[in-house]
Amino acid sequence: MSRTLPVNKNDYIDVVFEDLTHDGAGVAKVEGYPIFVPNGLPGEKAKVKVIKANKGYGFGRLIELYEKSPYRVDIPNNEKHKYGGCQLEHISYEGQLQYKENQVRQVLTRIGKLEDVIVHPILGMDNPLQYRNKAQVPVGEKDGKLIAGFFKPRSHEIVDTDESVIQLPEVNEAVQVMKEICSELGIPAYQEESHKGVLRHIMARYGKQTGELMVVIITKTSEIPQQKKLVEEIIARLPKVKSIVHNVNSKRTNVILGEKTTVLWGNEVIYDYIGDVKFAISALSFYQVNPVQTKVLYDKALEYANLSGEENVIDAYCGIGTISLFLAQKAKKVFGVEVVPEAIEDAKRNAELNGIKNAEFAVGEAEIVIPKWYKEGIVADVLVVDPPRKGCDEALLRTIIDMKPKKVVYVSCNPATLARDLRILEDGGYKTVEVQPVDMFPMTTHVECVSQLLLKEGN
Ligand code: SAH
């Protein structure tokens, strides 16, 4: 028997938004039936058009706002703001911080069933704009002209834009100048549909503390037309450039970077500092995109690790060794593990660069390498994890429970998988003592947390 829904597609309805989803859409309910509406804010009254009515939930479009939220801020109605990936730009920064903090609390209770954990007020930025040190911009062609910017949501259509509000000015400038040069030299854009053409993406990375710039040209073809001229022009027009890299991605894929990377000019890496630690960053390695808040996050991780100098530490998902080297200064020994070989090369180089001798790094999956270490007798007093969005592999969590490090510091960019993993660790003998959300990605829905877990007595 089919149940009738309280709304139908194309209905116009008046609603009051009650909540925000994890991707920043407003949630309104009609007789308990949820409708998700981009741009709606809690407390706002609005007219909405129903775009889609699925069995358990629907989607709508905001038609008219009758009553505005005090947290709403007006943003210009242009493409840069519409498609720039800043889902929370229409909410005041204070409102964004509140939303993220609430989200962490809710998820820890709902998914993690953690009732008495301390969640501290989120640590935000003084200036929540122009913080990103990296851009990866898709390139296309429109009316015979080279364009670069953002993808329209759920499409492969590129919108030509001149900047992003959350990128550092140096990064915006690098992308624009690269676009101009490639356009002037007539380097053809890659065409996704026909899989023809040359230039796929422009990437720029900037060391905020050192002022060093890296540009990466990502092409379908292994040759770049006018390569010599291209390099000369980049050097002439981007004086901060220290590294020009070419990456070839010849596959039909959404993945940005391909297999082959060569340095066209300058160094293979650029350098940056987090606190006193110097880092070499290569084109393929993960490096945190918000340098100001990274320092805040790592300081918190260090505080939660609470090292005396006698501890063996394991840093799982270590990237280029950023957290490992931060901790090594206060630990007896640090073992880092990471799946990307280039990142581990960087990590080793970074240890050397800083004269740090008590850090060792291994390439591999954390869930394979750490159980192997455990069998060989390498046991951590403190174990740090900083996994990607999907969280820790269960095999790794099982090994932690067997190994019983006294402390676990869990750095997470996804509260939902954090909550899931904390539950497993709690059931295995740990107590989540405190969670500190840090706003690493203002204007977007992303939220980062660092948590401290202690092994319960008797385990
Ligand atoms: N701690 C680092 C990196 C965190 S990002 C920093 O703060 O800079 C997560 C890292 O986990 C990435 O470098 C990614 O390459 C790595 N990774 C992803 N899956 C992994 C796995 N199964 N085992 C080990 N590392 C993995």
Side-chain angles (χ1 to χ4, degrees):
M1 204 178 81
S2 71
R3 245 184 72 216
T4 50
L5 298 173
V7 297
N8 293 307
K9 187 175 166 174
N10 295 331
D11 281 356
Y12 285 84
I13 51 173
D14 286 348
V15 299
V16 179
F17 293 109
E18 296 174 18
D19 205 351
L20 278 173
T21 62
H22 67 276
D23 52 7
V27 185
K29 287 196 177 142
V30 181
E31 296 165 32
Y33 175 86
I35 302 174
F36 305 122
V37 184
N39 202 12
L41 295 184
E44 292 187 331
K45 286 189 183 155
K47 185 197 282 289
V48 162
K49 182 179 181 186
V50 179
I51 302 296
K52 205 168 182 189
N54 294 334
K55 225 173 168 187
Y57 56 91
F59 292 98
R61 184 186 308 138
L62 191 68
I63 301 295
E64 191 187 337
L65 265 183
Y66 301 129
E67 255 172 57
K68 275 192 191 177
S69 159
Y71 291 119
R72 178 174 288 278
V73 289
D74 290 325
I75 50 168
N77 183 20
N78 62 25
E79 309 219 302
K80 167 171 88 188
H81 292 277
K82 248 173 40 206
Y83 303 118
C86 296
Q87 311 92 339
L88 302 185
E89 215 187 341
H90 60 301
I91 308 177
S92 67
Y93 192 48
E94 190 199 340
Q96 293 181 23
L97 292 176
Q98 222 179 71
Y99 156 74
K100 292 185 186 189
E101 196 179 307
N102 283 342
Q103 195 198 342
V104 172
R105 287 179 204 281
Q106 278 173 16
V107 164
L108 289 177
T109 322
R110 187 166 50 81
I111 301 177
K113 309 273 182 281
L114 298 160
E115 304 297 341
D116 55 352
V117 55
I118 301 165
V119 178
H120 296 287
I122 186 166
L123 299 170
M125 294 188 82
D126 292 338
N127 172 17
L129 294 168
Q130 299 191 328
Y131 60 83
R132 273 188 72 101
N133 59 12
K134 176 184 165 182
Q136 298 182 121
V137 183
V139 180
E141 244 167 49
K142 200 173 176 188
D143 308 326
K145 206 177 134 255
L146 204 70
I147 57 167
F150 306 110
F151 282 121
K152 277 194 179 171
R154 290 174 296 281
S155 90
H156 286 212
E157 190 185 332
I158 297 166
V159 184
D160 195 33
T161 34
D162 54 4
E163 65 167 8
S164 146
V165 295
I166 54 174
Q167 275 161 207
L168 286 166
E170 290 83 358
V171 173
N172 280 327
E173 188 201 0
V175 172
Q176 287 318 304
V177 170
M178 289 292 294
K179 184 162 75 175
E180 274 164 32
I181 298 173
C182 293
S183 181
E184 284 166 24
L185 294 178
I187 300 173
Y190 170 67
Q191 316 272 349
E192 206 180 356
E193 272 167 28
S194 62
H195 196 50
K196 291 206 169 81
V198 177
L199 188 58
R200 295 178 76 129
H201 276 82
I202 295 166
M203 179 172 145
R205 225 171 198 183
Y206 183 66
K208 193 167 187 246
Q209 298 304 321
T210 56
E212 297 190 357
L213 177 70
M214 170 187 276
V215 294
V216 185
I217 302 141
I218 301 143
T219 62
K220 189 220 155 189
T221 50
S222 51
E223 307 279 314
I224 311 176
Q226 304 255 48
Q227 181 179 308
K228 192 160 163 280
K229 190 85 188 125
L230 173 66
V231 170
E232 282 168 12
E233 288 297 321
I234 296 172
I235 300 165
R237 294 201 225 170
L238 289 171
K240 291 188 168 153
V241 78
K242 289 282 178 295
S243 168
I244 305 177
V245 174
H246 178 204
N247 175 274
V248 182
N249 184 355
S250 54
K251 296 198 179 126
R252 270 187 191 270
T253 170
N254 287 337
V255 177
I256 296 176
L257 291 162
E259 302 268 293
K260 200 171 147 237
T261 309
T262 43
V263 179
L264 298 183
W265 180 85
N267 294 336
E268 189 191 339
V269 295
I270 53 164
Y271 294 97
D272 198 21
Y273 284 89
I274 304 171
D276 295 332
V277 190
K278 187 176 186 182
F279 293 100
I281 309 147
S282 60
L284 300 193
S285 296
F286 175 88
Y287 183 64
Q288 295 283 358
V289 294
N290 184 335
V292 173
Q293 291 298 82
T294 298
K295 172 78 169 53
V296 173
L297 183 78
Y298 290 176
D299 279 342
K300 213 18 121 181
L302 193 61
E303 182 191 320
Y304 282 176
N306 192 17
L307 299 169
S308 68
E310 291 306 311
E311 295 87 353
N312 275 331
V313 179
I314 290 180
D315 179 17
Y317 311 91
C318 70
I320 60 171
T322 33
I323 296 178
S324 317
L325 298 181
F326 230 63
L327 298 175
Q329 300 167 307
K330 301 263 165 70
K332 187 163 102 196
K333 177 104 198 208
V334 177
F335 299 86
V337 54
E338 155 68 45
V339 77
V340 174
E342 288 83 357
I344 287 294
E345 274 171 42
D346 286 355
K348 288 180 179 163
R349 180 177 2 208
N350 289 331
E352 227 167 84
L353 201 61
N354 292 282
I356 294 174
K357 298 208 163 60
N358 59 338
E360 247 179 58
F361 295 97
V363 181
E365 287 168 314
E367 59 272 25
I368 304 213
V369 173
I370 295 173
K372 196 176 116 251
W373 281 347
Y374 181 50
K375 277 203 195 112
E376 291 166 3
I378 299 176
V379 174
D381 302 298
V382 177
L383 198 143
V384 180
V385 296
D386 183 7
R389 289 188 62 73
K390 67 173 193 245
C392 292
D393 191 281
E394 190 155 353
L396 174 62
L397 297 173
R398 293 284 151 222
T399 304
I400 296 176
I401 291 166
D402 291 343
M403 185 190 278
K404 301 191 195 315
K406 283 192 231 42
K407 250 173 248 147
V408 175
V409 178
Y410 194 137
V411 182
S412 158
C413 57
N414 182 350
T417 55
L418 170 70
R420 179 199 69 196
D421 292 351
L422 291 182
R423 179 75 264 151
I424 296 173
L425 291 170
E426 290 254 339
D427 293 343
Y430 283 89
K431 166 94 193 100
T432 309
V433 182
E434 48 191 326
V435 177
Q436 175 64 65
V438 179
D439 193 22
M440 298 279 281
F441 313 102
M443 307 296 142
T444 80
T445 50
H446 296 289
V447 50
E448 190 92 9
C449 291
V450 48
S451 314
Q452 189 200 47
L453 294 93
L454 297 180
L455 188 65
K456 280 189 261 189
E457 284 195 25
N459 278 283

